[in-house]
Amino acid sequence: DVGGFCNGILAGLVAITAGCANVEPWESIIIGLVGGLVYQGASMLLKRLKVDDVVDAFPVHGACGIWGIVALGLFGNPDEGMGGNGVFYGGDQLGTQLFAGFLIILWAGGLSVLIFLPLRKLGMLRMGDEFQEKGADVMEHSPAKAYSESPDAATARDVRV
């Protein structure tokens, strides 16, 4: 699965972004590897819950971003002079990081509800039945030939993805 492989790499990069200036290189490797696992778990959970996230945006950016925030509260040795204050070194940064993660979830969730709830009530979040049936990629985003080995674009549109 090339998409999952690439998203796993991106997940590790997202996870280390919050603490990149405050952790040692070896700690960043651990944070990134755990980020890949967090991505995989969140992606599998969304599939199990039947949540439609085609590009795995939430597992990569949401779940791994939160992991990165929490990881900064765990790692980062204050004695190294890089500004870290992680629990693993006797620091007290974890509470601050958890509170920040909570505020981010509250802010993003609240704004999402304010935007998407009215759109849902107005019926503006779903594509038409034809788009649902054939898929937006086939209908609008790509040349028809992209999904078929047939050089005839007309027959390629009839291919079910």
Side-chain angles (χ1 to χ4, degrees):
D1 177 22
V2 175
F5 178 76
C6 292
N7 277 343
I9 294 170
L10 185 57
L13 295 171
V14 167
I16 189 53
T17 301
C20 64
N22 302 102
V23 298
E24 292 288 330
W26 67 268
E27 293 171 320
S28 68
I29 292 170
I30 293 170
I31 293 169
L33 287 173
V34 172
L37 297 173
V38 168
Y39 157 73
Q40 188 63 41
S43 178
M44 291 168 59
L45 179 63
L46 286 185
K47 284 180 179 71
R48 181 174 286 242
L49 296 174
K50 298 184 187 220
V51 174
D52 185 20
D53 187 358
V54 179
V55 295
D56 275 344
F58 171 77
V60 171
H61 298 284
C64 292
I66 294 297
W67 158 243
I69 291 171
V70 172
L72 184 55
L74 301 174
F75 294 98
N77 188 349
D79 296 336
E80 296 295 328
M82 296 189 303
N85 194 20
V87 169
F88 294 154
Y89 300 98
D92 59 358
Q93 186 67 31
L94 184 60
T96 302
Q97 297 304 116
L98 290 172
F99 184 67
F102 170 74
L103 289 178
I104 291 169
I105 292 168
L106 191 65
W107 177 260
L111 287 178
S112 294
V113 167
L114 285 175
I115 293 168
F116 290 120
L117 188 62
L119 290 174
R120 182 177 181 192
K121 294 293 183 189
L122 293 170
M124 298 174 67
L125 287 181
R126 290 184 58 102
M127 302 288 258
D129 289 339
E130 186 179 9
F131 274 75
Q132 295 289 331
E133 181 68 28
K134 291 185 178 181
D137 281 348
V138 172
M139 294 295 294
E140 202 167 289
H141 296 300
S142 298
K145 291 181 183 179
Y147 295 102
S148 173
E149 293 180 16
S150 169
D152 182 17
T155 59
R157 284 209 182 269
D158 294 333
V159 173
R160 301 251 172 170
V161 179

